[in-house]
């Protein structure tokens, strides 16, 4: 499931990129009121690995 970049804020990306595991990303998502499966989190982690903090500005 691709990440909808239109829904992401700079703060959300910064926090998500810092997650070291799918479990951390799931916990972060829950704090924001989002639910995701381990499979979704792993897919997001793969996609997030393509981001660099410097790229965040170009996404927003």
């Amino acid at each position: 499931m691709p990440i909808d970049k239109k829904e992401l804020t700079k703060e959300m990306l910064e926090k998500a990129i810092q997650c070291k595991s799918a479990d951390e990303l799931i916990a972060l998502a829950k704090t924001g009121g989002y639910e995701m499966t381990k499979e979704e989190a792993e897919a997001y982690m793969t996609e997030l690995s393509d981001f660099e903090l410097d790229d965040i500005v170009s996404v927003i």
Side-chain angles (χ1 to χ4, degrees):
M1 175 180 300
I3 296 171
D4 185 353
K5 294 176 181 88
K6 293 177 185 176
E7 294 182 9
L8 298 176
T9 65
K10 180 179 176 181
E11 181 180 276
M12 291 167 74
L13 277 174
E14 287 173 343
K15 288 180 181 181
I17 288 171
Q18 293 176 19
C19 291
K20 304 273 189 250
S21 69
D23 291 330
E24 282 184 32
L25 186 57
I26 291 169
L28 175 64
K30 282 184 183 179
T31 65
Y34 299 98
E35 294 290 327
M36 69 173 57
T37 66
K38 182 137 185 157
E39 292 79 20
E40 289 171 327
E42 288 169 350
Y44 286 134
M45 292 292 294
T46 299
E47 195 165 341
L48 286 169
S49 69
D50 294 338
F51 282 103
E52 305 257 343
L53 285 176
D54 292 340
D55 295 331
I56 292 172
V57 175
S58 65
V59 172
I60 304 301

